[in-house]
Amino acid sequence: MKPPASASWKAPLKFRMPTAENLVPIRLDIEVDGQRYKDSFTWNPYDPDSEVVMFAKRTVKDLKLAPGFIPQIVQSIQSQLADFRSYEGQDMYAGDKIVPIKLDLRVNHTVIRDQFLWDLNNFESDPEEFSRTLCKDLGIEDPEVGPAIAFAIREQLYEIAIQNVTSARENRINKKGRRGAEHFPLSKAGGAALDLMKLFNFRSSVVRKRKEWDYYKPILDLLSNEDVDALEAKEERSGR
Amino acid sequence: MAGKSPVKAAASSDTTSTPIPNPNQFKPPQISTKLTTPAAVKSEIPSTPTRSSRPSSIDADVIHVPSYSRWFSWGKIDSCELRFLPEFFDGRYPSKSPILYMYYRNSIIKQFRENPSRKIFFTDARRTLLGDVGSVRRVFDFLELWGLINYSASSTHLKDAALTSKHSSTCGRFCGACRSLCTFACFVHDKGNFRVGLSNADFSRVEITNEAKADWLEKETSLLLEAIIHYGDDWKKVAQHVGGRTDKDCIPHFIKLPFGEEYLGHPCSDKAEPGFETNKRMRLTPLADASNPIMAQAAFLSALAGVKVAEAATLAALTTLSEVDDTRASKVGRGSLLRNTRQEADISSDGDTNLNALERAYADLDSLLEKEEQDIERAINGITEVQMKEIQDRILHFEELYLQMEKERQKFEGMKNLLFIYQLNLSFGKSYAMKTEERVMEKVKTDFIIIVCILFYLPLQAMANREFLEFKEIACQCF
């Protein structure tokens, strides 16, 4: 196989989420007057800004939170959206990237742990679709698990995309500095991907080795109420 | 997804929630403004094949759905859904498909119906749904508005939902703003219908009054005019004075008043002026309806410009036109006469009304011009006739020549034939008793004869050619 450098160098693309829909994962963790509100969801960045306010009001009304939450929520969402948009105009370096995505979530009574590979170049990929299928296959009954999984995938994809942007920026600067243009993909972001590239050379087969099977299997646990309470208490303590 | 809706069977038996089958599933949202009127109740059982209607062993009550949501069906998408939530159907976002919309809608409704006595909140719904919360919220709002969820949870909530959103369609009063059936209230916004970017606050409420359809009574009209005289510009006071009409009703009605009301108007009131002017304008442009667009334009422009300006313009136009005609007429050679007539026209035009004199002059000029044209035509006709005659004579001459040639050619043909016969005779006669030399001699003799004939033929040919060439030349000259 040719040195990964020349094989994987591609022209930089404009930044976007490497999924079919360019949605932003938003995470909220706000505390006002002793009330703690944690939430995570996906947002469509093309919605007008008035939507943010409406959403905040709606959420506060639905969850019967203190009205002081509204401006905080609005601000948090808007700042995350602004971050997303600030990356938007910039170049993203997308090589032949297949990245491992890890899931490790607890949603109500369900704990799920999983690991799988995701193709960053596939802009038609749909975390929602994946999550839906996963839940159906695993027979998860709790409807809240699906969105949580989709969100987790998106978040990780988002982070990787951001890293690609920064790496592209660095590489551009480096390019001016030295003539070694082949060193591009050796940034730290590409570390994990490179290992996988070695896997897929013509010497080894595409079928996964047996010892790795356990890593890539989804693990699903259903907790009882006591476990849930215990875990929640632990999380709160660690959070403080 | 979590369990099936236990009240499915009950819902289907509920008369108010029977759906109307609608084949609009994937049509683009070009819907007329007619809202869904309650059609005949169809007793269709809405179900998708995967659903099993469990007998309602639970004490779930019948799900109440308002009559204006009768169109709802699990497996289908109605036209009002296309209209209210176009984002799923116009294909702009590849993943926002009708299937996704149905997934959202059906899961929200199912979730609600699991516990119909409890109001379902948006946050609960969106937590369980995959996708971006904006779209989920819009679907949720839509369903809440149409009473498909949270309808029986609390009646106050329903009123809020209905009043703070767009109008719903039942047999109600006729709303002047949206020109259709409205129930509770109608909200207007100058940018059009409810969309993603607008919120409730952007809409202003329009009162639906029963008088929206009623005509203005005489009393009201006289009150209106009185009020205008007194208050002039202040339409609010005018509306108050009239009573029962908003200022927005008064203004268009006043403008539409017939022209005869002018005498009531105050010349110094600002609002009266444009009203009157429009009245006059409408009166003075009778040609505005003419099918001829140019006439309509001219009428409109002249009305705009005013009477004096129009007169001056027509005068100027006519004088220039007469000058143009004058130059044209002089080319034909009757300039003096025309100039006289023009001077006459000028003189007479200086006297009384200019238009009439010019018209007379115009008539004279026209007749003279016509005569000229006729003369010219006659002359041209004569010339062409003479030419034609010439050509005819020539053709006759050539025909004669041709005949001559034909005769001579035939003579020559006869000679050729004779020669051939002689040849045959000679060859047959000599064939038995001839020796080679004699045969050759005979051949030479016959050849000699042939050559002589050819030589004789050639000049004939040449003569014929010459004649033919001449004929061709002359023919070319003619044409």
Side-chain angles (χ1 to χ4, degrees):
Chain A
M1 193 165 155
K2 279 188 257 176
S6 46
S8 54
W9 168 245
K10 281 205 183 94
L13 311 160
K14 289 293 161 201
F15 172 81
R16 56 158 291 173
M17 288 286 289
T19 55
E21 269 196 67
N22 208 6
L23 301 177
V24 187
I26 306 249
R27 194 179 274 280
L28 295 176
D29 188 356
I30 306 171
E31 184 156 352
V32 169
D33 296 336
Q35 269 183 322
R36 190 128 187 249
Y37 168 61
K38 273 189 76 163
D39 206 352
S40 54
F41 48 85
T42 38
W43 188 267
N44 188 344
Y46 302 121
D47 276 347
D49 287 332
S50 54
E51 283 278 321
V52 182
V53 179
M54 278 173 74
F55 174 79
K57 286 198 189 141
R58 215 49 195 289
T59 312
V60 164
K61 193 174 76 155
D62 287 348
L63 298 174
K64 301 193 175 45
L65 301 170
F69 271 92
I70 299 182
Q72 296 243 10
I73 294 176
V74 169
Q75 195 211 21
S76 172
I77 296 178
Q78 278 176 344
S79 66
Q80 293 185 52
L81 279 177
D83 280 343
F84 177 79
R85 292 201 184 110
S86 73
Y87 286 115
E88 205 149 31
Q90 303 183 16
D91 295 336
M92 175 172 78
Y93 162 61
D96 290 335
K97 281 276 197 62
I98 299 180
V99 293
I101 303 262
K102 294 192 178 66
L103 293 179
D104 186 0
L105 331 158
R106 184 191 70 78
V107 179
N108 295 344
H109 291 262
T110 315
V111 173
I112 180 161
R113 267 191 293 273
D114 198 1
Q115 182 185 1
F116 44 85
L117 302 173
W118 194 277
D119 181 6
L120 273 189
N121 269 342
N122 179 13
F123 289 130
E124 305 292 323
S125 59
D126 196 358
E128 276 79 27
E129 188 66 42
F130 176 85
S131 158
R132 219 196 310 256
T133 319
L134 184 63
C135 292
K136 202 167 71 148
D137 289 344
L138 294 176
I140 297 177
E141 293 205 351
D142 191 350
E144 295 193 21
V145 178
I149 295 176
F151 177 79
I153 298 173
R154 263 192 199 274
E155 237 191 343
Q156 296 184 43
L157 289 175
Y158 183 46
E159 281 176 22
I160 294 171
I162 291 180
Q163 281 177 346
N164 281 342
V165 171
T166 51
S167 72
R169 232 185 294 148
E170 283 173 12
N171 291 332
R172 230 180 306 135
I173 298 170
N174 287 341
K175 196 174 171 182
K176 292 179 189 153
R178 46 179 151 132
R179 293 167 57 218
E182 298 88 23
H183 297 282
F184 276 152
L186 292 179
S187 57
K188 45 195 178 312
L194 268 191
D195 296 332
L196 296 167
M197 297 282 264
K198 285 193 196 132
L199 279 180
F200 292 141
N201 61 18
F202 53 79
R203 256 179 255 132
S204 71
S205 78
V206 189
V207 181
R208 197 170 272 147
K209 299 189 189 47
R210 199 174 264 272
K211 60 186 179 197
E212 292 183 12
W213 284 9
D214 290 328
Y215 290 129
Y216 289 94
K217 200 171 55 173
I219 301 170
L220 186 62
D221 277 332
L222 282 171
L223 306 172
S224 63
N225 285 338
E226 299 87 14
D227 293 335
V228 171
D229 293 334
L231 275 172
E232 278 185 359
K234 218 195 305 177
E235 278 167 17
E236 281 193 24
R237 259 181 275 129
S238 59
R240 297 274 164 81
Chain B
M1 294 298 253
K4 315 244 162 52
S5 162
V7 294
K8 200 56 203 48
S12 61
S13 64
D14 179 21
T15 52
T16 55
S17 69
T18 49
I20 298 164
N22 202 318
N24 286 347
Q25 196 142 354
F26 295 102
K27 242 183 1 189
Q30 287 151 348
I31 315 292
S32 64
T33 52
K34 266 193 299 228
L35 298 170
T36 56
T37 50
V41 170
K42 297 207 181 95
S43 56
E44 191 191 81
I45 299 176
S47 64
T48 57
T50 57
R51 223 170 294 285
S52 65
S53 51
R54 268 202 310 206
S56 50
S57 51
I58 310 163
D59 59 348
D61 303 324
V62 172
I63 297 284
H64 289 288
V65 176
S67 56
Y68 46 77
S69 299
R70 220 177 289 190
W71 46 265
F72 171 67
S73 151
W74 288 106
K76 299 211 171 77
I77 296 181
D78 187 64
S79 62
C80 66
E81 297 175 287
L82 289 174
R83 210 175 341 126
F84 282 36
L85 297 164
E87 61 189 298
F88 293 102
F89 305 105
D90 57 12
R92 248 183 318 145
Y93 300 106
S95 45
K96 280 200 184 166
S97 60
I99 300 172
L100 185 68
Y101 165 71
M102 276 177 54
Y103 158 67
Y104 286 160
R105 178 191 74 180
N106 293 352
S107 5
I108 294 178
I109 294 182
K110 258 193 294 187
Q111 203 177 352
F112 167 66
R113 289 188 180 179
E114 277 168 19
N115 199 349
S117 54
R118 181 187 154 280
K119 201 166 72 165
I120 182 175
F121 290 117
F122 162 64
T123 312
D124 305 331
R126 69 113 164 128
R127 280 229 172 101
T128 64
L129 287 175
L130 299 155
D132 75 291
V133 291
S135 322
V136 176
R137 187 194 60 77
R138 284 189 279 277
V139 177
F140 187 85
D141 283 343
F142 169 75
L143 293 174
E144 203 170 18
L145 162 69
W146 285 84
L148 288 163
I149 53 178
N150 296 342
Y151 185 62
S152 52
S154 60
S155 53
T156 52
H157 188 79
L158 162 69
K159 247 189 263 162
D160 288 334
L163 287 177
T164 57
S165 311
K166 291 166 280 185
H167 50 269
S168 44
S169 68
T170 57
C171 292
R173 294 171 292 195
F174 191 79
C175 169
C178 56
R179 310 252 174 283
S180 54
L181 301 171
C182 269
T183 43
F184 299 98
C186 183
F187 289 83
V188 289
H189 183 79
D190 50 8
K191 276 204 211 120
N193 281 328
F194 199 64
R195 272 197 324 263
V196 172
L198 305 176
S199 71
N200 296 338
D202 293 329
F203 280 74
S204 58
R205 186 170 174 157
V206 166
E207 289 299 329
I208 309 168
T209 54
N210 276 329
E211 299 95 296
K213 236 191 193 170
D215 292 324
W216 279 67
L217 304 166
E218 288 233 358
K219 197 176 62 146
E220 287 182 323
T221 321
S222 59
L223 276 176
L224 170 69
L225 294 167
E226 267 181 39
I228 289 171
I229 297 173
H230 288 304
Y231 303 120
D233 217 346
D234 196 346
W235 288 98
K236 286 208 174 50
K237 292 217 186 97
V238 169
Q240 257 179 13
H241 186 101
V242 174
R245 298 278 180 180
T246 65
D247 51 354
K248 287 197 171 42
D249 283 336
C250 292
I251 299 178
H253 183 76
F254 176 67
I255 291 177
K256 286 187 202 133
L257 282 176
F259 186 64
E261 303 290 311
E262 184 191 23
Y263 66 92
L264 287 176
H266 237 231
C268 55
S269 67
D270 289 344
K271 280 296 177 182
E273 277 275 299
F276 299 150
E277 271 192 6
T278 47
N279 285 337
K280 265 194 282 186
R281 208 175 295 156
M282 291 201 293
R283 253 204 357 174
L284 288 179
T285 57
L287 289 175
D289 305 316
S291 51
N292 186 349
I294 299 176
M295 279 312 294
Q297 272 268 11
F300 175 64
L301 288 171
S302 63
L304 270 184
V307 181
K308 292 223 175 80
V309 175
E311 274 189 42
T314 46
L315 177 61
L318 283 169
T319 43
T320 44
L321 272 173
S322 71
E323 281 170 23
V324 167
D325 272 341
D326 178 47
T327 53
R328 210 171 14 123
S330 64
K331 276 188 196 153
V332 187
R334 300 223 178 180
S336 56
L337 177 61
L338 290 174
R339 256 180 253 124
N340 280 341
T341 54
R342 182 164 166 265
Q343 279 169 3
E344 257 183 57
D346 279 346
I347 293 165
S348 60
S349 71
D350 285 340
D352 42 272
T353 54
N354 300 333
L355 284 161
N356 285 339
L358 276 172
E359 277 178 29
R360 258 186 281 125
Y362 257 97
D364 293 338
L365 281 173
D366 276 338
S367 61
L368 283 170
L369 279 171
E370 276 184 39
K371 258 191 264 167
E372 290 278 342
E373 282 183 34
Q374 280 172 11
D375 284 341
I376 291 171
E377 271 191 49
R378 251 179 274 133
I380 290 174
N381 281 342
I383 292 170
T384 46
E385 273 184 40
V386 167
Q387 292 261 346
M388 298 273 282
K389 259 208 211 135
E390 228 179 298
I391 289 171
Q392 262 186 357
D393 287 340
R394 280 214 171 126
I395 286 173
L396 281 172
H397 178 64
F398 285 128
E399 274 186 27
E400 280 166 26
L401 273 179
Y402 195 66
L403 265 174
Q404 254 188 350
M405 243 181 64
E406 272 298 318
K407 276 189 203 147
E408 292 195 359
R409 187 172 284 156
Q410 277 184 6
K411 256 195 266 173
F412 182 61
E413 283 287 337
M415 277 174 63
K416 262 193 3 188
N417 288 337
L418 271 177
L419 176 64
F420 186 59
I421 289 168
Y422 285 150
Q423 271 187 307
L424 278 175
N425 281 339
L426 279 173
S427 58
F428 278 139
K430 295 271 176 105
S431 63
Y432 297 111
M434 214 146 61
K435 289 179 194 148
T436 49
E437 297 105 1
E438 284 173 42
R439 231 180 278 148
V440 168
M441 275 297 289
E442 288 305 320
K443 203 161 181 284
V444 168
K445 266 192 218 152
T446 49
D447 287 345
F448 181 68
I449 292 169
I450 289 168
I451 286 166
V452 163
C453 294
I454 286 171
L455 283 172
F456 185 60
Y457 172 64
L458 274 177
L460 203 66
Q461 185 74 294
M463 209 171 67
N465 275 345
R466 234 185 301 126
E467 293 279 2
F468 190 61
L469 281 172
E470 267 182 43
F471 173 73
K472 256 183 32 178
E473 257 181 42
I474 296 168
C476 286
Q477 268 176 21
C478 289
F479 305 110

